[in-house]
Amino acid sequence: MKRIIVTGGCGFIGSNFIRFFLQQEPNLKIVNVDSLTYAGNLENLKDLETNPRLTFARLDITQLDALEPLFREPLDSVIHFAAESHVDRSILDSGPFIRTNVQGTQILLDLAKKASVRKFVHVSTDEVYGSLGASGFFTETTPLAPNSPYSASKAASDMLVRSYFHTFGFPGVITRCSNNYGPYQFPEKIIPLFISNLLEDLQVPVYGDGLQIRDWIHVTDHCSGVYAAWKSGIAGEVYNFGGRCELTNMELTTTLLRLLDKPKSLIKYVQDRLGHDRRYAIDCAKAETELGWKPIVSFETGIADTIRWYQENWEWVSRVRSGAYREYYQQQYGSRL
Ligand code: NAD
Ligand code: TYD
């Protein structure tokens, strides 16, 4: 049975992707490589605990020697999600972003090159393009102009993938997606943070004037895009994914208040994020034409389902917030260490 490595599979998008991928591909097995940072939660894959086609390797992508044995066995491809992913944290300390996102990607590229993989899908972000004015969209040829340490580290990793294609003919494919939402998202990002706070009647912190715009996409649409890039993406190419759903943070916040039937008094305006990008918006025509992909979850349906998921999985939220989720790995693997 063919084997692929997915990095960052215990995070938000990686865990949704593994679930999606195993359903699509009944004859492939996955090795999930994740170091379990604060954002990595093995409980995100609890329903797949006994699936014989999924194995877990607690490894850090910056540790070449520890990773190397995984690349010695026959390997079809790598799908690379692992990253430090939160802009606010990158403003506080960019060190882990450079280590994981830049150096970790370089190490994976070298290992994958040596293993002669068929494909390497590098999951990147629209944030590498910087910030838009009131009009226009990011296309795959928009020059990179990252503004935060997070987006700068992702842009650097994109450039490495590009250079390995150019220099070595390495089969790298880059995907750049807009803001995701959906189940299992760590409650530091705006949507799960606001839903969790509102469910407890806590205030929600809106940065600055709240008129920044993000283009929202449901995580399953992002997963189907990465899957399409893995299946039919062409080496050396970049594919943008977006939800064609631009909302200001205030529009998003008032939607959540309305759906949860909470008062506007729970909005708290706080100091703006440093260097805050004003607007992101994706033109995803290339992925639609060349990969036959399109986003299918409307924001109306997706956000209602997401709110329901957080309500029905309050235990998950509580365990993340209390830190109890960190014990799960020890329970599952501790005795075998
Ligand atoms: P996340 O923060 O939820 O998960 C990241 C995962 O990577 C965690 O499981 C963490 O333990 C793991 N990880 C971090 N450092 C590691 C290391 N050194 N070695 C091994 N594992 C490590 O992130 P996410 O939101 O699921 O994002 C996944 C990818 O998608 C990232 O590359 C991100 O840049 C990209 N992306 C995210 C969004 C979004 O809206 N969340 C949008 C576009 C692109
Ligand atoms: P976030 O979810 O951190 O994603 P990103 O910075 O990668 O786009 O933030 C989305 C938007 O929400 C961004 O404009 C910052 C804003 N925001 C708030 O206003 N309050 C918050 O508490 C958070 C986390 C974000």
Side-chain angles (χ1 to χ4, degrees), residues 8-14 33-41 59-62 80-85 100 123-126 150 154 177-180 185-186 188-189 222:
C10 295
F12 162 49
I13 305 171
V33 172
D34 196 303
S35 62
L36 298 181
T37 66
Y38 79 94
N41 183 350
L59 292 171
D60 186 324
I61 59 164
T62 65
H80 176 33
F81 292 93
E84 288 292 338
S85 70
T100 289
V123 180
S124 190
T125 166
D126 63 350
Y150 162 63
K154 292 297 289 189
C177 190
S178 64
N179 285 62
N180 286 218
Q185 188 168 28
F186 197 86
E188 63 180 353
K189 305 273 167 50
H222 185 191

mmCIF file of all heavy atoms in Angstrom, residues 8-14 33-41 59-62 80-85 100 123-126 150 154 177-180 185-186 188-189 222, ligand 1:
data_model
loop_
_atom_site.group_PDB
_atom_site.id
_atom_site.type_symbol
_atom_site.label_atom_id
_atom_site.label_comp_id
_atom_site.label_asym_id
_atom_site.label_seq_id
_atom_site.Cartn_x
_atom_site.Cartn_y
_atom_site.Cartn_z
ATOM 1 N N GLY A 8 1.983 18.063 10.472
ATOM 2 C CA GLY A 8 1.034 18.964 11.131
ATOM 3 C C GLY A 8 -0.382 18.418 11.184
ATOM 4 O O GLY A 8 -1.354 19.172 11.268
ATOM 5 N N GLY A 9 -0.504 17.087 11.170
ATOM 6 C CA GLY A 9 -1.828 16.462 11.119
ATOM 7 C C GLY A 9 -2.624 16.525 12.415
ATOM 8 O O GLY A 9 -3.794 16.129 12.432
ATOM 9 N N CYS A 10 -2.013 17.025 13.489
ATOM 10 C CA CYS A 10 -2.775 17.179 14.743
ATOM 11 C C CYS A 10 -3.301 18.597 14.908
ATOM 12 O O CYS A 10 -3.915 18.931 15.924
ATOM 13 C CB CYS A 10 -1.910 16.799 15.947
ATOM 14 S SG CYS A 10 -1.464 15.063 15.925
ATOM 15 N N GLY A 11 -3.033 19.452 13.924
ATOM 16 C CA GLY A 11 -3.550 20.814 13.984
ATOM 17 C C GLY A 11 -4.954 20.894 13.390
ATOM 18 O O GLY A 11 -5.563 19.873 13.056
ATOM 19 N N PHE A 12 -5.414 22.105 13.240
ATOM 20 C CA PHE A 12 -6.776 22.348 12.750
ATOM 21 C C PHE A 12 -6.984 21.800 11.325
ATOM 22 O O PHE A 12 -7.783 20.881 11.099
ATOM 23 C CB PHE A 12 -7.031 23.856 12.825
ATOM 24 C CG PHE A 12 -8.169 24.378 12.019
ATOM 25 C CD1 PHE A 12 -9.426 23.781 12.060
ATOM 26 C CD2 PHE A 12 -7.997 25.512 11.206
ATOM 27 C CE1 PHE A 12 -10.490 24.293 11.315
ATOM 28 C CE2 PHE A 12 -9.042 26.023 10.462
ATOM 29 C CZ PHE A 12 -10.289 25.411 10.508
ATOM 30 N N ILE A 13 -6.221 22.321 10.366
ATOM 31 C CA ILE A 13 -6.483 21.934 8.973
ATOM 32 C C ILE A 13 -5.948 20.523 8.702
ATOM 33 O O ILE A 13 -6.610 19.712 8.041
ATOM 34 C CB ILE A 13 -5.873 22.960 7.988
ATOM 35 C CG1 ILE A 13 -6.398 24.368 8.312
ATOM 36 C CG2 ILE A 13 -6.220 22.588 6.545
ATOM 37 C CD1 ILE A 13 -5.715 25.494 7.568
ATOM 38 N N GLY A 14 -4.762 20.220 9.268
ATOM 39 C CA GLY A 14 -4.171 18.898 9.042
ATOM 40 C C GLY A 14 -5.084 17.772 9.502
ATOM 41 O O GLY A 14 -5.220 16.749 8.816
ATOM 42 N N VAL A 33 3.151 13.255 10.908
ATOM 43 C CA VAL A 33 4.320 13.750 11.642
ATOM 44 C C VAL A 33 3.951 15.067 12.304
ATOM 45 O O VAL A 33 3.635 16.051 11.621
ATOM 46 C CB VAL A 33 5.509 13.977 10.675
ATOM 47 C CG1 VAL A 33 6.658 14.671 11.399
ATOM 48 C CG2 VAL A 33 5.966 12.669 10.070
ATOM 49 N N ASP A 34 3.964 15.071 13.624
ATOM 50 C CA ASP A 34 3.572 16.292 14.346
ATOM 51 C C ASP A 34 4.306 16.320 15.676
ATOM 52 O O ASP A 34 4.386 15.291 16.366
ATOM 53 C CB ASP A 34 2.040 16.284 14.557
ATOM 54 C CG ASP A 34 1.507 17.658 14.927
ATOM 55 O OD1 ASP A 34 1.981 18.217 15.937
ATOM 56 O OD2 ASP A 34 0.620 18.167 14.225
ATOM 57 N N SER A 35 4.834 17.463 16.048
ATOM 58 C CA SER A 35 5.599 17.537 17.302
ATOM 59 C C SER A 35 4.706 17.854 18.503
ATOM 60 O O SER A 35 5.195 17.898 19.625
ATOM 61 C CB SER A 35 6.702 18.594 17.181
ATOM 62 O OG SER A 35 6.113 19.859 16.972
ATOM 63 N N LEU A 36 3.420 18.099 18.249
ATOM 64 C CA LEU A 36 2.472 18.455 19.312
ATOM 65 C C LEU A 36 2.919 19.709 20.068
ATOM 66 O O LEU A 36 3.212 19.669 21.259
ATOM 67 C CB LEU A 36 2.233 17.292 20.281
ATOM 68 C CG LEU A 36 1.606 16.027 19.671
ATOM 69 C CD1 LEU A 36 1.397 14.946 20.740
ATOM 70 C CD2 LEU A 36 0.269 16.349 19.001
ATOM 71 N N THR A 37 2.951 20.819 19.336
ATOM 72 C CA THR A 37 3.128 22.121 19.998
ATOM 73 C C THR A 37 1.812 22.426 20.710
ATOM 74 O O THR A 37 0.868 21.617 20.671
ATOM 75 C CB THR A 37 3.387 23.236 18.966
ATOM 76 O OG1 THR A 37 2.199 23.400 18.168
ATOM 77 C CG2 THR A 37 4.569 22.906 18.070
ATOM 78 N N TYR A 38 1.679 23.623 21.263
ATOM 79 C CA TYR A 38 0.416 24.001 21.913
ATOM 80 C C TYR A 38 -0.769 23.826 20.949
ATOM 81 O O TYR A 38 -1.893 23.548 21.371
ATOM 82 C CB TYR A 38 0.490 25.473 22.403
ATOM 83 C CG TYR A 38 0.259 26.440 21.263
ATOM 84 C CD1 TYR A 38 -1.003 26.944 20.997
ATOM 85 C CD2 TYR A 38 1.293 26.779 20.382
ATOM 86 C CE1 TYR A 38 -1.229 27.766 19.906
ATOM 87 C CE2 TYR A 38 1.078 27.591 19.302
ATOM 88 C CZ TYR A 38 -0.188 28.087 19.067
ATOM 89 O OH TYR A 38 -0.422 28.874 17.975
ATOM 90 N N ALA A 39 -0.516 23.982 19.628
ATOM 91 C CA ALA A 39 -1.610 23.922 18.640
ATOM 92 C C ALA A 39 -1.899 22.499 18.174
ATOM 93 O O ALA A 39 -2.894 22.263 17.494
ATOM 94 C CB ALA A 39 -1.263 24.784 17.426
ATOM 95 N N GLY A 40 -1.033 21.565 18.532
ATOM 96 C CA GLY A 40 -1.222 20.185 18.097
ATOM 97 C C GLY A 40 -2.000 19.409 19.148
ATOM 98 O O GLY A 40 -1.632 19.385 20.319
ATOM 99 N N ASN A 41 -3.070 18.792 18.731
ATOM 100 C CA ASN A 41 -3.953 18.103 19.673
ATOM 101 C C ASN A 41 -4.299 16.739 19.088
ATOM 102 O O ASN A 41 -5.067 16.643 18.127
ATOM 103 C CB ASN A 41 -5.209 18.959 19.878
ATOM 104 C CG ASN A 41 -6.164 18.377 20.890
ATOM 105 O OD1 ASN A 41 -5.995 17.229 21.321
ATOM 106 N ND2 ASN A 41 -7.175 19.152 21.260
ATOM 107 N N LEU A 59 7.270 13.847 16.021
ATOM 108 C CA LEU A 59 8.590 14.313 15.596
ATOM 109 C C LEU A 59 8.520 15.779 15.215
ATOM 110 O O LEU A 59 7.489 16.269 14.737
ATOM 111 C CB LEU A 59 9.060 13.511 14.374
ATOM 112 C CG LEU A 59 9.391 12.034 14.593
ATOM 113 C CD1 LEU A 59 9.629 11.350 13.259
ATOM 114 C CD2 LEU A 59 10.619 11.893 15.494
ATOM 115 N N ASP A 60 9.649 16.450 15.420
ATOM 116 C CA ASP A 60 9.766 17.870 15.100
ATOM 117 C C ASP A 60 10.396 17.988 13.709
ATOM 118 O O ASP A 60 11.454 17.386 13.457
ATOM 119 C CB ASP A 60 10.672 18.499 16.178
ATOM 120 C CG ASP A 60 10.757 20.001 16.057
ATOM 121 O OD1 ASP A 60 10.748 20.510 14.910
ATOM 122 O OD2 ASP A 60 10.848 20.655 17.103
ATOM 123 N N ILE A 61 9.780 18.757 12.827
ATOM 124 C CA ILE A 61 10.301 18.827 11.447
ATOM 125 C C ILE A 61 11.648 19.549 11.354
ATOM 126 O O ILE A 61 12.258 19.569 10.292
ATOM 127 C CB ILE A 61 9.281 19.452 10.457
ATOM 128 C CG1 ILE A 61 8.891 20.873 10.890
ATOM 129 C CG2 ILE A 61 8.065 18.555 10.294
ATOM 130 C CD1 ILE A 61 8.198 21.673 9.779
ATOM 131 N N THR A 62 12.098 20.132 12.457
ATOM 132 C CA THR A 62 13.430 20.758 12.412
ATOM 133 C C THR A 62 14.525 19.755 12.797
ATOM 134 O O THR A 62 15.699 20.104 12.797
ATOM 135 C CB THR A 62 13.519 21.979 13.354
ATOM 136 O OG1 THR A 62 13.377 21.521 14.700
ATOM 137 C CG2 THR A 62 12.438 23.004 13.049
ATOM 138 N N HIS A 80 2.511 18.990 3.366
ATOM 139 C CA HIS A 80 3.170 19.705 4.457
ATOM 140 C C HIS A 80 2.301 20.843 5.019
ATOM 141 O O HIS A 80 2.221 21.928 4.435
ATOM 142 C CB HIS A 80 4.501 20.237 3.910
ATOM 143 C CG HIS A 80 5.276 21.075 4.852
ATOM 144 N ND1 HIS A 80 5.293 20.886 6.211
ATOM 145 C CD2 HIS A 80 6.107 22.149 4.624
ATOM 146 C CE1 HIS A 80 6.077 21.797 6.772
ATOM 147 N NE2 HIS A 80 6.576 22.572 5.833
ATOM 148 N N PHE A 81 1.668 20.531 6.170
ATOM 149 C CA PHE A 81 0.855 21.542 6.866
ATOM 150 C C PHE A 81 1.576 22.143 8.074
ATOM 151 O O PHE A 81 1.203 23.217 8.529
ATOM 152 C CB PHE A 81 -0.435 20.903 7.419
ATOM 153 C CG PHE A 81 -1.431 20.456 6.398
ATOM 154 C CD1 PHE A 81 -1.425 19.156 5.920
ATOM 155 C CD2 PHE A 81 -2.410 21.319 5.933
ATOM 156 C CE1 PHE A 81 -2.364 18.722 4.988
ATOM 157 C CE2 PHE A 81 -3.348 20.912 5.005
ATOM 158 C CZ PHE A 81 -3.326 19.601 4.535
ATOM 159 N N ALA A 82 2.540 21.402 8.651
ATOM 160 C CA ALA A 82 3.096 21.814 9.951
ATOM 161 C C ALA A 82 3.657 23.228 9.889
ATOM 162 O O ALA A 82 4.428 23.560 8.994
ATOM 163 C CB ALA A 82 4.204 20.844 10.376
ATOM 164 N N ALA A 83 3.241 24.038 10.839
ATOM 165 C CA ALA A 83 3.727 25.421 10.885
ATOM 166 C C ALA A 83 3.327 26.051 12.207
ATOM 167 O O ALA A 83 2.410 25.575 12.885
ATOM 168 C CB ALA A 83 3.119 26.239 9.734
ATOM 169 N N GLU A 84 4.025 27.092 12.552
ATOM 170 C CA GLU A 84 3.507 28.039 13.540
ATOM 171 C C GLU A 84 2.579 28.930 12.733
ATOM 172 O O GLU A 84 2.970 29.458 11.690
ATOM 173 C CB GLU A 84 4.654 28.855 14.159
ATOM 174 C CG GLU A 84 5.540 28.066 15.102
ATOM 175 C CD GLU A 84 4.818 27.659 16.386
ATOM 176 O OE1 GLU A 84 3.812 28.295 16.757
ATOM 177 O OE2 GLU A 84 5.256 26.679 17.013
ATOM 178 N N SER A 85 1.343 29.104 13.203
ATOM 179 C CA SER A 85 0.327 29.669 12.306
ATOM 180 C C SER A 85 -0.382 30.925 12.806
ATOM 181 O O SER A 85 -1.246 31.447 12.112
ATOM 182 C CB SER A 85 -0.721 28.589 12.006
ATOM 183 O OG SER A 85 -1.497 28.337 13.166
ATOM 184 N N THR A 100 10.463 26.617 12.585
ATOM 185 C CA THR A 100 9.553 25.603 12.016
ATOM 186 C C THR A 100 9.224 25.888 10.554
ATOM 187 O O THR A 100 9.350 25.014 9.694
ATOM 188 C CB THR A 100 8.258 25.536 12.848
ATOM 189 O OG1 THR A 100 8.570 24.942 14.101
ATOM 190 C CG2 THR A 100 7.185 24.708 12.152
ATOM 191 N N VAL A 123 1.653 23.602 1.882
ATOM 192 C CA VAL A 123 0.420 24.340 2.183
ATOM 193 C C VAL A 123 0.779 25.723 2.719
ATOM 194 O O VAL A 123 1.285 25.859 3.826
ATOM 195 C CB VAL A 123 -0.434 23.559 3.207
ATOM 196 C CG1 VAL A 123 -1.716 24.324 3.514
ATOM 197 C CG2 VAL A 123 -0.751 22.163 2.678
ATOM 198 N N SER A 124 0.524 26.726 1.902
ATOM 199 C CA SER A 124 0.869 28.088 2.309
ATOM 200 C C SER A 124 -0.404 28.930 2.459
ATOM 201 O O SER A 124 -1.508 28.382 2.573
ATOM 202 C CB SER A 124 1.864 28.693 1.318
ATOM 203 O OG SER A 124 2.363 29.903 1.832
ATOM 204 N N THR A 125 -0.228 30.223 2.463
ATOM 205 C CA THR A 125 -1.320 31.115 2.837
ATOM 206 C C THR A 125 -1.382 32.341 1.925
ATOM 207 O O THR A 125 -0.347 32.765 1.379
ATOM 208 C CB THR A 125 -1.120 31.584 4.302
ATOM 209 O OG1 THR A 125 -1.968 32.693 4.564
ATOM 210 C CG2 THR A 125 0.309 32.031 4.568
ATOM 211 N N ASP A 126 -2.568 32.927 1.806
ATOM 212 C CA ASP A 126 -2.701 34.165 1.020
ATOM 213 C C ASP A 126 -1.976 35.335 1.688
ATOM 214 O O ASP A 126 -1.720 36.355 1.058
ATOM 215 C CB ASP A 126 -4.182 34.515 0.790
ATOM 216 C CG ASP A 126 -4.958 34.803 2.069
ATOM 217 O OD1 ASP A 126 -4.431 34.567 3.181
ATOM 218 O OD2 ASP A 126 -6.115 35.275 1.963
ATOM 219 N N TYR A 150 4.913 36.073 10.766
ATOM 220 C CA TYR A 150 4.302 34.814 10.300
ATOM 221 C C TYR A 150 4.313 34.745 8.780
ATOM 222 O O TYR A 150 4.827 33.780 8.186
ATOM 223 C CB TYR A 150 2.856 34.692 10.831
ATOM 224 C CG TYR A 150 2.015 33.674 10.074
ATOM 225 C CD1 TYR A 150 2.349 32.320 10.082
ATOM 226 C CD2 TYR A 150 0.886 34.075 9.342
ATOM 227 C CE1 TYR A 150 1.589 31.384 9.373
ATOM 228 C CE2 TYR A 150 0.122 33.156 8.638
ATOM 229 C CZ TYR A 150 0.475 31.812 8.654
ATOM 230 O OH TYR A 150 -0.269 30.885 7.963
ATOM 231 N N LYS A 154 6.316 32.232 6.095
ATOM 232 C CA LYS A 154 5.643 31.393 5.085
ATOM 233 C C LYS A 154 6.143 31.749 3.680
ATOM 234 O O LYS A 154 6.370 30.870 2.848
ATOM 235 C CB LYS A 154 4.115 31.562 5.161
ATOM 236 C CG LYS A 154 3.452 31.016 6.418
ATOM 237 C CD LYS A 154 3.589 29.514 6.588
ATOM 238 C CE LYS A 154 2.766 28.715 5.613
ATOM 239 N NZ LYS A 154 2.751 27.261 5.950
ATOM 240 N N CYS A 177 -4.105 29.550 0.566
ATOM 241 C CA CYS A 177 -5.539 29.634 0.868
ATOM 242 C C CYS A 177 -5.836 30.835 1.753
ATOM 243 O O CYS A 177 -4.978 31.330 2.477
ATOM 244 C CB CYS A 177 -5.976 28.338 1.570
ATOM 245 S SG CYS A 177 -7.759 28.184 1.753
ATOM 246 N N SER A 178 -7.084 31.266 1.711
ATOM 247 C CA SER A 178 -7.540 32.372 2.563
ATOM 248 C C SER A 178 -7.903 31.834 3.954
ATOM 249 O O SER A 178 -7.658 30.669 4.270
ATOM 250 C CB SER A 178 -8.736 33.056 1.902
ATOM 251 O OG SER A 178 -9.814 32.141 1.815
ATOM 252 N N ASN A 179 -8.519 32.676 4.777
ATOM 253 C CA ASN A 179 -8.810 32.319 6.180
ATOM 254 C C ASN A 179 -9.807 31.168 6.292
ATOM 255 O O ASN A 179 -10.917 31.244 5.770
ATOM 256 C CB ASN A 179 -9.395 33.520 6.920
ATOM 257 C CG ASN A 179 -8.341 34.547 7.260
ATOM 258 O OD1 ASN A 179 -7.712 35.127 6.376
ATOM 259 N ND2 ASN A 179 -8.143 34.780 8.544
ATOM 260 N N ASN A 180 -9.405 30.130 7.018
ATOM 261 C CA ASN A 180 -10.255 28.944 7.223
ATOM 262 C C ASN A 180 -11.070 29.055 8.510
ATOM 263 O O ASN A 180 -10.617 29.667 9.477
ATOM 264 C CB ASN A 180 -9.385 27.699 7.397
ATOM 265 C CG ASN A 180 -8.738 27.191 6.131
ATOM 266 O OD1 ASN A 180 -8.634 25.994 5.925
ATOM 267 N ND2 ASN A 180 -8.287 28.080 5.254
ATOM 268 N N GLN A 185 -10.690 24.069 15.269
ATOM 269 C CA GLN A 185 -9.764 25.210 15.170
ATOM 270 C C GLN A 185 -9.425 25.710 16.563
ATOM 271 O O GLN A 185 -10.316 25.935 17.396
ATOM 272 C CB GLN A 185 -10.356 26.339 14.325
ATOM 273 C CG GLN A 185 -9.340 27.450 14.034
ATOM 274 C CD GLN A 185 -9.791 28.429 12.967
ATOM 275 O OE1 GLN A 185 -10.979 28.643 12.766
ATOM 276 N NE2 GLN A 185 -8.842 29.026 12.264
ATOM 277 N N PHE A 186 -8.153 25.908 16.819
ATOM 278 C CA PHE A 186 -7.689 26.305 18.151
ATOM 279 C C PHE A 186 -8.300 27.661 18.523
ATOM 280 O O PHE A 186 -8.242 28.608 17.726
ATOM 281 C CB PHE A 186 -6.154 26.390 18.144
ATOM 282 C CG PHE A 186 -5.557 26.389 19.516
ATOM 283 C CD1 PHE A 186 -5.284 25.196 20.171
ATOM 284 C CD2 PHE A 186 -5.272 27.584 20.163
ATOM 285 C CE1 PHE A 186 -4.726 25.198 21.447
ATOM 286 C CE2 PHE A 186 -4.723 27.591 21.433
ATOM 287 C CZ PHE A 186 -4.449 26.403 22.083
ATOM 288 N N GLU A 188 -7.786 30.453 19.489
ATOM 289 C CA GLU A 188 -7.017 31.698 19.529
ATOM 290 C C GLU A 188 -7.309 32.497 18.264
ATOM 291 O O GLU A 188 -7.121 33.699 18.229
ATOM 292 C CB GLU A 188 -5.506 31.423 19.630
ATOM 293 C CG GLU A 188 -4.941 30.692 18.428
ATOM 294 C CD GLU A 188 -3.447 30.410 18.501
ATOM 295 O OE1 GLU A 188 -2.782 30.895 19.434
ATOM 296 O OE2 GLU A 188 -2.948 29.689 17.609
ATOM 297 N N LYS A 189 -7.788 31.816 17.217
ATOM 298 C CA LYS A 189 -8.157 32.472 15.969
ATOM 299 C C LYS A 189 -9.556 33.051 16.147
ATOM 300 O O LYS A 189 -10.349 32.562 16.964
ATOM 301 C CB LYS A 189 -8.130 31.474 14.801
ATOM 302 C CG LYS A 189 -6.799 30.739 14.636
ATOM 303 C CD LYS A 189 -5.836 31.511 13.775
ATOM 304 C CE LYS A 189 -4.405 31.034 13.803
ATOM 305 N NZ LYS A 189 -4.102 29.651 13.608
ATOM 306 N N HIS A 222 -11.011 23.903 1.791
ATOM 307 C CA HIS A 222 -9.547 23.981 1.699
ATOM 308 C C HIS A 222 -8.969 22.565 1.544
ATOM 309 O O HIS A 222 -8.089 22.329 0.701
ATOM 310 C CB HIS A 222 -8.969 24.674 2.944
ATOM 311 C CG HIS A 222 -7.482 24.900 2.889
ATOM 312 N ND1 HIS A 222 -6.752 25.297 3.980
ATOM 313 C CD2 HIS A 222 -6.583 24.758 1.883
ATOM 314 C CE1 HIS A 222 -5.462 25.411 3.638
ATOM 315 N NE2 HIS A 222 -5.344 25.088 2.367
HETATM 316 P P1 NAD B 1 -2.364 24.874 13.474
HETATM 317 O O1 NAD B 1 -1.552 25.879 14.221
HETATM 318 O O2 NAD B 1 -3.743 24.559 13.926
HETATM 319 O O3 NAD B 1 -1.572 23.485 13.396
HETATM 320 C C1 NAD B 1 -0.204 23.399 13.160
HETATM 321 C C2 NAD B 1 0.261 21.985 13.471
HETATM 322 O O4 NAD B 1 1.659 21.903 13.164
HETATM 323 C C3 NAD B 1 0.096 21.594 14.932
HETATM 324 O O5 NAD B 1 -0.447 20.299 15.045
HETATM 325 C C4 NAD B 1 1.510 21.639 15.487
HETATM 326 O O6 NAD B 1 1.735 20.736 16.561
HETATM 327 C C5 NAD B 1 2.320 21.257 14.248
HETATM 328 N N1 NAD B 1 3.696 21.758 14.317
HETATM 329 C C6 NAD B 1 4.098 23.018 14.581
HETATM 330 N N2 NAD B 1 5.431 23.078 14.607
HETATM 331 C C7 NAD B 1 5.890 21.833 14.321
HETATM 332 C C8 NAD B 1 7.188 21.274 14.173
HETATM 333 N N3 NAD B 1 8.291 21.993 14.347
HETATM 334 N N4 NAD B 1 7.274 19.953 13.854
HETATM 335 C C9 NAD B 1 6.173 19.189 13.693
HETATM 336 N N5 NAD B 1 4.923 19.672 13.837
HETATM 337 C C10 NAD B 1 4.777 20.990 14.138
HETATM 338 O O7 NAD B 1 -2.356 25.403 11.966
HETATM 339 P P2 NAD B 1 -3.498 25.310 10.857
HETATM 340 O O8 NAD B 1 -4.410 26.465 11.006
HETATM 341 O O9 NAD B 1 -4.055 23.935 10.818
HETATM 342 O O10 NAD B 1 -2.619 25.574 9.544
HETATM 343 C C11 NAD B 1 -2.012 24.483 8.853
HETATM 344 C C12 NAD B 1 -1.243 25.045 7.656
HETATM 345 O O11 NAD B 1 -2.120 25.754 6.803
HETATM 346 C C13 NAD B 1 -0.131 26.023 8.058
HETATM 347 O O12 NAD B 1 0.984 25.781 7.232
HETATM 348 C C14 NAD B 1 -0.738 27.392 7.767
HETATM 349 O O13 NAD B 1 0.264 28.323 7.426
HETATM 350 C C15 NAD B 1 -1.637 27.074 6.574
HETATM 351 N N6 NAD B 1 -2.821 27.940 6.414
HETATM 352 C C16 NAD B 1 -3.663 28.160 7.460
HETATM 353 C C17 NAD B 1 -4.797 28.955 7.265
HETATM 354 C C18 NAD B 1 -5.799 29.199 8.379
HETATM 355 O O14 NAD B 1 -6.739 29.956 8.179
HETATM 356 N N7 NAD B 1 -5.666 28.562 9.548
HETATM 357 C C19 NAD B 1 -5.057 29.521 6.008
HETATM 358 C C20 NAD B 1 -4.155 29.259 4.959
HETATM 359 C C21 NAD B 1 -3.046 28.460 5.178
#
